[in-house]
């Protein structure tokens, strides 16, 4: 792996640049940003020359450029010579190109012939041999001639396409196919709108994204360097590209100006480069020779990690008078008004929430996955009690595809969210079963029971039933666990909701007989936590005793909410407002429960 990159001695700051090493499951992304003229592209080019051992590398080494790689690991470094040129033509193969033997450094032609081998293998064209295609140039011409030369005929790829094609089709919202036009063979894309576009009519963003996918999937580089990854890509496409790269490349290094990459959650390290001015004017050369030795400019490298540093870097990269920024600012008030109207419209609803639109998992789901991976519960069966709209499994699947041996049991008793759950596209690749009745819940078969953002929406009877169901489902008292994840206070006021602080739930599970510990983190200014209840007892308290314990918990919470409510002065910020509404709604829910049961508890 690439460990460090040292620039010449004239460079100051964070030099050498240290690169993060990948984990078992995900690669790393490093962004080099800075104003024009600091040599970002030159730095990438020099890096690939040093790694490839090209002739120019000797000159770079003598100037003080150095790379440190882990020689114990073999890796392939790749930097597209000209991504824009490549993306404009990769989807079209001519007969002449197919019969041409690519030169050693002709990645464009080699990649194109590999791509079309994948395409032809997916088409219903009889007689195609991938082995002959890769070895016999004469066979390529003969096979291409055998394809119907009707320009209106289209061959569509089958459903079982390689992953990179499937991901592209999902993002583009279309189906890939092929058509022949004279001696050219061109990809086509049929959109859900009914429009069919040949490769030349695809948007530049689609071409760029497709080329990145093809390059990574077929050349399989371990280190991928790309200049200005963001070119032609909408921010959503940038996120999907980064997601694909992190899953399929061990290390990615890109030069960029784009805030979406600077602030992107998928980015691991950001280096800001700037030229340092010298206080003397160098002598003007009288001649410019063909191989003139240029001095290395004095640079400053800064590793930016905090949000404040990222904001400062983004501010310095853009002109404050930039028309695009002003246009964006002009719409801020309208966007805020729209968001406020939407929030008021949905205020006080206590309903299941779907997964977010971001291609990255939310913090809560990401932590749940990490805790599950760390604890190694057995057996490999997860019961998601109160799965709702499948938020947890959908969020986890964004970056962490569940293992094939892992089975998910999704229990959702309400018909409307259960119907949406069964229709989820994200579940097609996951071993799962949707359960709608308590009577069908497993007994002694589960390694992990998930209660994610569920308990606060249950009354004491339902709370007791949830614990009982999970306890019955657990298979191994030594290796099976219950994972409770909640946010306290809730991010908004929810009708009939009772938010639980972590310490109170820990105490409750311990009183039942479990071992309990929690990990806490921040979500939008609130405290979120994951509680692990392990070592389940052989039996639970009877129904009346369990209900009494939960009602006692509600009584303590009522006093806690009342103290919070009374302690808040005049509202001065949204955090105080959220806490006040949580306290008020919590007290109302608890008071109504005891009132309906005729218990003068509060």
């Amino acid at each position: 792996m690439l460990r460090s990159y040292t620039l010449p001695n004239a460079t100051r700051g964070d030099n050498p640049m240290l690169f993060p090493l990948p984990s078992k499951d995900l690669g790393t992304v490093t962004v080099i940003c800075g104003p024009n003229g600091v040599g970002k592209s030159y730095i990438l080019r020099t890096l690939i020359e040093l790694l490839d051992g090209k002739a120019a590398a000797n000159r770079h080494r003598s100037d003080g450029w150095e790379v440190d790689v882990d020689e114990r690991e073999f890796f392939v470094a790749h930097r597209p010579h000209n991504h824009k040129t490549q993306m404009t033509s990769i989807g079209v193969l001519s007969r002449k190109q197919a019969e041409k033997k690519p030169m050693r450094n002709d990645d464009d032609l080699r990649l194109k012939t590999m791509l079309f081998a994948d395409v032809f293998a997916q088409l219903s064209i009889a007689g195609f041999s991938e082995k002959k295609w890769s070895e016999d140039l004469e066979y390529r011409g003969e096979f291409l001639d055998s394809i119907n030369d009707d320009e209106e005929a289209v061959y569509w790829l089958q459903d079982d396409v390689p992953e990179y094609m499937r991901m592209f089709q999902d993002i583009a919202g279309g189906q890939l196919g092929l058509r022949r036009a004279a001696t050219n063979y061109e990809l086509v894309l049929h959109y859900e709108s009914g429009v069919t576009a040949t490769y030349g009519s695809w948007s530049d963003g689609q071409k760029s994204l497709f080329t990145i996918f093809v390059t990574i999937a077929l050349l399989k580089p371990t280190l991928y360097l790309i200049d200005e990854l963001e070119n032609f890509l909408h921010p959503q496409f940038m996120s999907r590209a980064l997601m694909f790269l992190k899953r399929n490349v061990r290390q990615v290094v890109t030069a960029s100006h784009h805030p979406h990459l600077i602030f992107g959650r998928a980015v691991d390290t950001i280096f800001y480069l700037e030229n340092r001015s010298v206080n003397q004017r160098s002598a003007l050369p009288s001649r410019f020779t063909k191989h003139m030795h240029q001095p290395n400019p004095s640079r400053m490298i800064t590793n930016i990690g905090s949000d404040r540093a990222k904001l400062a870097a983004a501010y310095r990269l853009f002109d404050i008078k930039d028309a695009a920024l002003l246009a964006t600012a002009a719409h801020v008030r309208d966007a805020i008004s729209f968001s406020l109207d939407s929030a008021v419209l949905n205020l006080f609803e206590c309903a299941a929430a779907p997964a977010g639109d971001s291609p990255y998992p939310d913090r809560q789901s990401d932590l749940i996955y990490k805790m599950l991976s760390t604890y190694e519960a057995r057996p490999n069966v997860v019961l998601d009690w109160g799965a709702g709209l499948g938020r947890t499994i959908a969020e986890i699947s964004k970056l962490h595809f569940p293992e094939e041996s892992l089975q998910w049991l999704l229990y959702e008793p309400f018909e409307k969210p259960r119907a949406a759950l069964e229709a989820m596209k994200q579940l097609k690749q996951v071993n799962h079963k949707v359960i709608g009745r308590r009577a069908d819940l497993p007994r002694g078969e589960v390694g992990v029971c998930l209660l994610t953002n569920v308990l606060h929406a249950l009354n004491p009877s339902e709370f007791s039933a949830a614990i009982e169901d999970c306890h019955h489902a657990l298979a191994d008292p030594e290796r099976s666990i219950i994972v409770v994840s909640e946010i306290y206070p809730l991010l908004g006021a929810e009708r009939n909701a009772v938010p639980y602080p972590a310490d109170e739930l820990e105490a409750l599970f311990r009183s039942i007989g479990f071992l309990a510990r929690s990990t806490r983190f921040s979500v939008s200014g609130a405290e979120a936590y994951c509680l692990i209840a392990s070592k389940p007892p052989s039996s639970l308290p009877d129904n009346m005793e369990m209900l009494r314990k939960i009602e006692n918990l509600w009584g303590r919470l009522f006093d806690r909410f009342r103290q919070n409510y009374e302690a808040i002065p005049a509202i001065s910020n949204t955090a105080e407002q959220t806490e006040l509404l949580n306290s008020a709604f919590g007290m109302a829910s608890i008071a109504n429960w005891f009132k309906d049961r005729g218990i003068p508890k509060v």
Side-chain angles (χ1 to χ4, degrees), residues 68-96:
D68 178 26
V69 297
D70 190 339
E71 297 180 355
R72 295 170 298 176
E73 299 185 38
F74 173 76
F75 70 100
V76 178
H78 177 73
R79 177 177 184 266
H81 177 66
N82 191 326
H83 179 71
K84 183 175 182 181
T85 301
Q86 185 183 49
M87 77 182 207
T88 58
S89 63
I90 194 172
V92 181
L93 176 71
S94 68
R95 191 181 191 279
K96 185 176 180 180

Coordinates of all heavy atoms in Angstrom, one line a residue, residues 68-96:
D68 N 6.8 6.1 -0.4 CA 7.0 4.9 0.5 C 5.9 4.0 0.4 O 4.7 4.3 0.6 CB 7.1 5.4 2.0 CG 7.3 4.2 3.0 OD1 7.9 3.2 2.5 OD2 6.9 4.3 4.1
V69 N 6.2 2.8 -0.1 CA 5.1 1.8 -0.3 C 5.5 0.5 0.5 O 6.7 0.3 0.8 CB 5.0 1.4 -1.8 CG1 4.5 2.6 -2.6 CG2 6.3 0.8 -2.4
D70 N 4.5 -0.2 0.8 CA 4.6 -1.5 1.5 C 5.0 -2.5 0.5 O 4.2 -3.0 -0.2 CB 3.4 -1.9 2.3 CG 3.6 -3.0 3.2 OD1 4.5 -3.8 3.0 OD2 2.8 -3.2 4.1
E71 N 6.3 -2.9 0.4 CA 6.7 -3.8 -0.6 C 6.3 -5.2 -0.4 O 6.4 -6.1 -1.3 CB 8.3 -3.8 -0.7 CG 8.8 -2.4 -1.1 CD 10.3 -2.4 -1.1 OE1 10.9 -3.4 -0.8 OE2 10.9 -1.4 -1.6
R72 N 5.7 -5.5 0.8 CA 5.2 -6.8 1.0 C 3.9 -7.1 0.3 O 3.5 -8.2 0.1 CB 5.0 -7.0 2.5 CG 6.2 -7.0 3.4 CD 5.9 -6.9 4.9 NE 5.1 -5.7 5.2 CZ 4.6 -5.5 6.4 NH1 4.8 -6.3 7.4 NH2 4.0 -4.4 6.6
E73 N 3.3 -6.0 -0.2 CA 2.0 -6.1 -0.8 C 2.1 -5.7 -2.3 O 2.7 -4.6 -2.6 CB 0.9 -5.3 -0.2 CG 0.7 -5.7 1.3 CD -0.5 -4.9 1.9 OE1 -1.5 -4.6 1.1 OE2 -0.4 -4.5 3.0
F74 N 1.7 -6.5 -3.2 CA 1.7 -6.2 -4.6 C 0.5 -5.3 -4.9 O -0.6 -5.7 -4.6 CB 1.7 -7.4 -5.5 CG 1.6 -7.1 -7.0 CD1 2.6 -6.7 -7.7 CD2 0.4 -7.3 -7.6 CE1 2.5 -6.4 -9.0 CE2 0.2 -7.0 -8.9 CZ 1.3 -6.6 -9.7
F75 N 0.6 -4.2 -5.6 CA -0.5 -3.5 -6.0 C -0.3 -2.8 -7.3 O 0.8 -2.6 -7.8 CB -0.9 -2.4 -4.9 CG 0.1 -1.3 -4.8 CD1 -0.2 0.0 -5.4 CD2 1.2 -1.4 -4.1 CE1 0.6 1.0 -5.3 CE2 2.1 -0.3 -4.0 CZ 1.8 0.9 -4.6
V76 N -1.4 -2.6 -8.0 CA -1.4 -2.0 -9.4 C -1.9 -0.6 -9.3 O -3.0 -0.3 -8.7 CB -2.3 -2.8 -10.3 CG1 -2.3 -2.1 -11.7 CG2 -1.9 -4.2 -10.4
A77 N -1.0 0.4 -9.7 CA -1.4 1.8 -9.7 C -1.9 2.2 -11.1 O -1.4 1.7 -12.1 CB -0.2 2.7 -9.3
H78 N -3.0 3.0 -11.1 CA -3.5 3.4 -12.4 C -3.9 4.8 -12.4 O -4.6 5.3 -11.4 CB -4.7 2.5 -12.8 CG -5.4 3.0 -14.1 ND1 -4.8 2.7 -15.3 CD2 -6.5 3.6 -14.3 CE1 -5.6 3.2 -16.3 NE2 -6.6 3.8 -15.7
R79 N -3.6 5.6 -13.4 CA -4.0 7.0 -13.6 C -4.4 7.1 -15.0 O -3.6 7.0 -15.9 CB -2.9 8.0 -13.2 CG -3.3 9.4 -13.4 CD -2.1 10.4 -13.0 NE -2.5 11.7 -13.1 CZ -2.3 12.5 -14.2 NH1 -1.6 12.0 -15.3 NH2 -2.7 13.8 -14.3
P80 N -5.7 7.5 -15.3 CA -6.1 7.6 -16.7 C -5.3 8.7 -17.3 O -5.1 9.8 -16.8 CB -7.6 8.1 -16.5 CG -8.0 7.6 -15.2 CD -6.8 7.7 -14.3
H81 N -4.8 8.5 -18.5 CA -4.0 9.5 -19.3 C -4.9 10.7 -19.6 O -4.4 11.8 -19.4 CB -3.4 8.9 -20.5 CG -2.6 9.9 -21.4 ND1 -1.5 10.4 -20.9 CD2 -2.9 10.4 -22.6 CE1 -1.0 11.3 -21.8 NE2 -1.9 11.3 -22.8
N82 N -6.1 10.4 -20.1 CA -7.0 11.5 -20.4 C -8.4 11.0 -20.2 O -9.0 10.4 -21.1 CB -6.7 12.1 -21.8 CG -7.5 13.4 -22.0 OD1 -8.6 13.6 -21.5 ND2 -6.9 14.2 -22.8
H83 N -8.9 11.2 -19.0 CA -10.3 10.6 -18.7 C -11.3 11.2 -19.7 O -12.2 10.4 -20.1 CB -10.6 11.0 -17.3 CG -12.0 10.5 -16.8 ND1 -12.2 9.2 -16.6 CD2 -13.1 11.2 -16.6 CE1 -13.5 9.0 -16.3 NE2 -14.1 10.2 -16.2
K84 N -11.3 12.5 -20.0 CA -12.3 13.0 -20.9 C -12.3 12.4 -22.3 O -13.3 12.1 -22.8 CB -12.1 14.5 -21.0 CG -13.2 15.2 -21.8 CD -13.0 16.7 -21.9 CE -14.2 17.4 -22.6 NZ -14.0 18.8 -22.7
T85 N -11.1 12.2 -22.8 CA -11.0 11.5 -24.1 C -11.5 10.1 -24.1 O -12.2 9.6 -24.9 CB -9.6 11.6 -24.6 OG1 -9.1 12.9 -24.7 CG2 -9.5 10.9 -26.0
Q86 N -11.1 9.4 -23.0 CA -11.5 8.0 -22.8 C -13.0 7.9 -22.7 O -13.6 7.0 -23.3 CB -10.8 7.4 -21.6 CG -11.0 6.0 -21.4 CD -10.4 5.5 -20.1 OE1 -10.6 6.1 -19.1 NE2 -9.6 4.4 -20.2
M87 N -13.7 8.8 -21.9 CA -15.1 8.6 -21.7 C -15.9 8.9 -22.9 O -17.1 8.5 -23.0 CB -15.5 9.5 -20.5 CG -15.7 10.9 -20.8 SD -16.1 11.9 -19.4 CE -17.0 13.3 -20.1
T88 N -15.4 9.7 -23.8 CA -16.2 10.0 -25.0 C -16.3 8.9 -26.0 O -17.1 8.9 -26.9 CB -15.6 11.3 -25.7 OG1 -14.2 11.0 -26.1 CG2 -15.7 12.5 -24.9
S89 N -15.4 7.9 -25.9 CA -15.4 6.8 -26.9 C -15.4 5.4 -26.4 O -15.5 4.5 -27.2 CB -14.1 7.0 -27.7 OG -12.9 6.8 -26.9
I90 N -15.4 5.2 -25.1 CA -15.3 3.9 -24.5 C -16.5 3.0 -24.9 O -16.5 1.8 -25.0 CB -15.1 3.9 -23.0 CG1 -14.7 2.5 -22.5 CG2 -16.4 4.4 -22.3 CD1 -14.3 2.5 -21.1
G91 N -17.7 3.7 -25.1 CA -18.9 2.9 -25.4 C -19.1 2.6 -26.9 O -20.2 2.1 -27.2
V92 N -18.1 2.9 -27.7 CA -18.2 2.6 -29.2 C -17.0 1.8 -29.6 O -15.8 2.2 -29.4 CB -18.3 3.8 -30.0 CG1 -18.5 3.5 -31.5 CG2 -19.5 4.7 -29.5
L93 N -17.1 0.6 -30.2 CA -16.0 -0.2 -30.7 C -16.1 -0.4 -32.2 O -17.2 -0.8 -32.7 CB -16.1 -1.6 -30.0 CG -15.0 -2.6 -30.4 CD1 -13.6 -2.2 -29.9 CD2 -15.3 -4.0 -29.9
S94 N -15.1 -0.1 -32.9 CA -15.1 -0.3 -34.3 C -14.4 -1.6 -34.6 O -13.6 -2.1 -33.8 CB -14.3 0.8 -35.0 OG -12.9 0.8 -34.7
R95 N -14.7 -2.2 -35.8 CA -14.1 -3.4 -36.2 C -12.6 -3.3 -36.3 O -11.8 -4.2 -35.9 CB -14.6 -3.9 -37.5 CG -14.3 -5.3 -37.9 CD -14.8 -5.7 -39.3 NE -14.7 -7.1 -39.5 CZ -13.6 -7.7 -40.0 NH1 -12.5 -7.0 -40.1 NH2 -13.6 -9.0 -40.2
K96 N -12.1 -2.2 -36.8 CA -10.7 -1.9 -36.9 C -10.0 -1.9 -35.5 O -8.9 -2.5 -35.3 CB -10.4 -0.6 -37.6 CG -9.0 -0.3 -37.9 CD -8.9 1.0 -38.7 CE -7.4 1.3 -38.9 NZ -7.2 2.6 -39.7

